[in-house]
Amino acid sequence: MGNFTKWLGAGLGFTLGGPIGAIIGYAIGSVIDSGVSVQEYKSEQDDYKRKTKKRPKVKSSTSGDFEISLLVLASVVIKSDGNIDQRELDFVRSHFIELYGKERANRAFKLFNGVIKNEVSTRQVCIQIREHMSHSSRLQLIHFLFGIAKADEVVTASEEEVIRKIAGYLYINDRDYGSIKAMFYNEADAAYKILEIEKDASIDEIKKAYRRMAKKFHPDRLQDIGEEHLNAAKEKFQSIQNAYEKLKEERNF
């Protein structure tokens, strides 16, 4: 790979092709700098297509793929309410600095500024992601998107609607979606929703639900998307533990 993918650290895999590749190509054309050229990107994209023509489709992704997927989907969420809020942009930038360090984050955010100007087919992008990315990684994307939507302290109805639509396209079921959503809302029954159980669940059902959810959302299931994304995965895992501890205290077991 050339200069374009070097700054991504882990490089790119499936996101060099398909609709996401086209979006990134457009973005590069609008934010050309000394380290990136359109011709170089097109050359890398063509090389990727040639190499993958003979390969069977597999669910495999890299840290770079996860980063690019997050950039594209974040642009969809931020534009969903018709207002590009500076607080949300600042959240994306600070989040990327926390994940990747200042230099890599600056390059990513420059690319993001190009992506956000482009019209995105959410369905086509999500189809490409779900064909190559594991279920655990797709759940993590939804978690990140809620964090971005809440950066201005309120998740608007339009933002929640588009995240739900993205979740549907990514084949994330309503229970998993509701669990992640509940992590960002201070509702009385949030702990039950996070553990995907009803309020009248028995103590045994609560314990079983916790074990099931702890296994499903364990950070070890996200090794393919890179170490830099695991801290946020641990936060999600901690939300599950906190929900369980809250119910233990309420139910006195």
Side-chain angles (χ1 to χ4, degrees):
M1 294 294 180
N3 289 334
F4 171 64
T5 54
K6 282 181 181 177
W7 68 272
L8 284 170
L12 297 179
F14 75 84
T15 50
L16 269 177
I20 296 178
I23 292 166
I24 299 304
Y26 173 91
I28 291 171
S30 64
V31 294
I32 295 175
D33 63 19
S34 60
V36 178
S37 74
V38 174
Q39 185 57 45
E40 182 176 45
Y41 172 75
K42 287 181 177 177
S43 175
E44 292 171 354
Q45 191 178 46
D46 290 342
D47 183 57
Y48 168 81
K49 289 177 180 177
R50 282 194 300 271
K51 289 178 178 178
T52 54
K53 270 184 180 180
K54 299 179 181 179
R55 298 177 190 167
K57 287 186 177 181
V58 293
K59 289 188 177 179
S60 60
S61 57
T62 67
S63 171
D65 290 324
F66 189 89
E67 179 178 358
I68 291 297
S69 298
L70 178 59
L71 276 177
V72 174
L73 293 180
S75 75
V76 174
V77 173
I78 286 177
K79 292 189 293 184
S80 65
D81 58 0
N83 177 45
I84 300 177
D85 193 292
Q86 186 60 46
R87 287 170 294 183
E88 292 174 327
L89 294 177
D90 289 344
F91 177 87
V92 174
R93 188 182 186 89
S94 63
H95 182 65
F96 271 62
I97 290 174
E98 182 180 346
L99 283 175
Y100 310 120
K102 192 170 183 179
E103 182 178 354
R104 181 174 168 182
N106 285 341
R107 298 296 295 272
F109 197 73
K110 184 177 290 187
L111 186 62
F112 178 77
N113 284 332
V115 170
I116 205 167
K117 297 172 186 175
N118 195 14
E119 290 300 317
V120 175
S121 171
T122 308
R123 179 176 176 274
Q124 291 300 319
V125 165
C126 289
I127 288 173
Q128 184 178 2
I129 291 171
R130 78 170 186 246
E131 286 180 345
H132 297 276
M133 195 175 287
S134 70
H135 183 254
S136 295
S137 298
R138 284 178 273 140
L139 289 174
Q140 189 62 37
L141 279 175
I142 296 301
H143 189 266
F144 276 130
L145 294 179
F146 265 113
I148 290 168
K150 203 173 181 182
D152 56 359
E153 299 181 1
V154 177
V155 179
T156 66
S158 57
E159 287 172 332
E160 198 274 331
E161 181 181 352
V162 79
I163 297 175
R164 181 182 290 277
K165 182 184 294 184
I166 288 170
Y169 288 149
L170 293 177
Y171 286 179
I172 292 170
N173 64 41
D174 288 342
R175 291 178 72 87
D176 283 344
Y177 175 79
S179 173
I180 295 173
K181 177 184 173 183
M183 296 176 187
F184 294 89
Y185 289 79
N186 296 319
E187 298 175 344
D189 59 347
Y192 290 95
K193 290 181 178 178
I194 290 172
L195 294 180
E196 299 183 2
I197 52 177
E198 302 297 329
K199 291 185 71 174
D200 59 356
S202 67
I203 290 175
D204 281 344
E205 287 173 331
I206 292 172
K207 291 179 179 179
K208 288 179 182 177
Y210 168 69
R211 289 193 294 268
R212 183 182 69 253
M213 297 298 290
K215 182 178 180 180
K216 181 191 297 186
F217 287 98
H218 199 283
D220 286 349
R221 299 174 70 91
L222 294 166
Q223 296 298 326
D224 60 323
I225 63 172
E227 288 289 332
E228 59 268 52
H229 298 114
L230 293 185
N231 282 338
K234 290 173 183 176
E235 290 177 9
K236 178 158 52 70
F237 186 69
Q238 187 62 52
S239 295
I240 292 167
Q241 291 182 307
N242 291 343
Y244 180 62
E245 292 299 326
K246 185 175 188 297
L247 294 185
K248 280 181 66 177
E249 184 177 346
E250 288 180 1
R251 295 289 198 90
N252 194 27
F253 67 90

